[in-house]
Amino acid sequence: MNELTSAGDTHLLRALVVEDEWPARNYLVELIEASNLAEVVGAVASVGEARQALQPAPAGLEVDVVFVDIALGGVDDETGLDLVRASVKNPRRPMFVLATAFKEHAIEAFELGVDDYLLKPFTEERVEQCLRRLSARRRASPAQSPLRIVARRGKNLVFLEPNEVWAFEAADRLTSVHTPHGTFDLDLSLSSIEASFGRALTRVHRNWLVNAAYIKELERDGGETRIFVGIGIGPERRGVSVPVARERAQSVRDMLLASATGLRRA
């Protein structure tokens, strides 16, 4: 991550710029911020860094729009289009703008639902036009997700921030939420919770939704897979051990490795 800024005006779009050539990256950042329609919360050079930035909070950034170049250098040879393609089935993905020197990807960009297509060399007028379109589109969109979660502790109501949640569990017709503050009861089903929070949660089992940002360990024992979700990985770790459905084990592993490095790939 090369540049980070604090949150400013809540009406501004929060932009992530993905561009491997620093002069082009810096110039686009300048144009975006000069518009007074958006703030750049991150500027990175590769798809891997972009995936890291786009992880659910608290590990990632809150991003409304991603400006991504197509041809990106890096060890993995991934392009900006790979980042867009991977997000197609995600109902909570940010808006995407392809910022590139190549015209020939326009048809695929349209098919992928890309929100705008900026050709280099960028101009102040064209970037501002793009941001005005995106701002109007965001205002027309419904609310993205509930602001807080309300749970029960006996006869009391407990209010939780979404980024505090480790996991949701369904058992014996009851739904529970696991957090650093304890485990509480909810009135909603897992399906309702999944619909409300979308990509912020990962379904790993028919009875479990987890916050991937808190997955600390992937455990395999014979044909069984479990993940530890919580904080800490030492003897004093706090969290819950969650079963992973056999048919979801490989996709969960792939998801975790896609935003991590250090393991030799086959």
Side-chain angles (χ1 to χ4, degrees):
M1 185 86 35
N2 298 327
E3 301 152 14
L4 291 176
T5 64
S6 60
D9 186 335
T10 57
H11 297 291
L12 296 180
L13 290 166
R14 296 170 59 85
L16 173 69
V17 173
V18 188
E19 167 64 70
D20 63 327
E21 298 180 5
W22 72 263
R25 182 169 66 242
N26 290 348
Y27 185 52
L28 183 54
V29 169
E30 289 178 8
L31 292 178
I32 291 171
E33 298 209 313
S35 71
N36 293 320
L37 296 168
E39 61 172 349
V40 177
V41 295
V44 300
S46 69
V47 171
E49 290 176 297
R51 288 202 174 102
Q52 184 72 25
L54 292 171
Q55 286 188 94
L61 302 172
E62 293 182 13
V63 174
D64 297 310
V65 54
V66 181
F67 288 81
V68 57
D69 191 10
I70 292 177
L72 295 168
V75 296
D76 48 15
D77 293 328
E78 289 189 290
T79 71
L81 279 173
D82 292 324
L83 184 67
V84 180
R85 292 185 189 115
S87 72
V88 166
K89 295 183 179 179
N90 181 355
R92 299 288 180 180
R93 74 173 186 172
M95 295 181 282
F96 278 94
V97 175
L98 288 183
T100 176
F102 303 100
K103 298 179 179 178
E104 57 266 36
H105 301 287
I107 294 177
E108 182 177 4
F110 175 79
E111 293 172 346
L112 291 172
V114 167
D115 296 88
D116 206 341
Y117 201 104
L118 285 181
L119 282 174
K120 297 178 181 177
F122 308 127
T123 66
E124 182 178 347
E125 293 76 16
R126 183 65 182 88
V127 170
E128 181 174 333
Q129 179 192 53
C130 170
L131 290 168
R132 290 195 181 283
R133 288 177 182 171
L134 300 180
S135 295
R137 194 165 299 171
R138 185 179 68 167
R139 285 195 298 272
S141 299
Q144 294 297 304
S145 63
L147 295 178
R148 303 178 81 187
I149 299 163
V150 58
R152 297 185 182 278
R153 179 163 57 186
K155 295 182 179 179
N156 299 333
L157 298 181
V158 177
F159 295 89
L160 303 164
E161 301 299 328
N163 61 10
E164 294 178 302
V165 170
W166 292 338
F168 294 95
E169 176 187 10
D172 300 327
R173 298 184 179 182
L174 296 175
T175 303
S176 301
V177 55
H178 297 271
T179 78
H181 314 296
T183 299
F184 308 99
D185 298 329
L186 290 175
D187 292 340
L188 297 177
S189 67
L190 281 193
S191 297
S192 298
I193 294 166
E194 189 173 24
S196 296
F197 289 94
R199 76 172 184 127
L201 299 170
T202 301
R203 173 81 74 159
V204 300
H205 188 279
R206 63 186 175 87
N207 292 335
W208 285 90
L209 282 170
V210 303
N211 183 344
Y214 285 109
I215 297 176
K216 297 299 183 187
E217 194 165 3
L218 177 70
E219 307 163 349
R220 283 183 165 175
D221 184 9
E224 302 297 323
T225 301
R226 301 185 72 86
I227 51 176
F228 178 78
V229 186
I231 53 177
I233 55 176
E236 297 181 356
R237 65 182 186 173
R238 297 168 54 206
V240 289
S241 180
V242 176
V244 179
R246 190 180 301 271
E247 68 275 13
R248 296 176 185 267
Q250 187 61 48
S251 62
V252 171
R253 184 176 189 274
D254 290 345
M255 175 199 70
L256 294 172
L257 292 180
S259 58
T261 188
L263 189 66
R264 182 179 299 163
R265 312 291 178 87

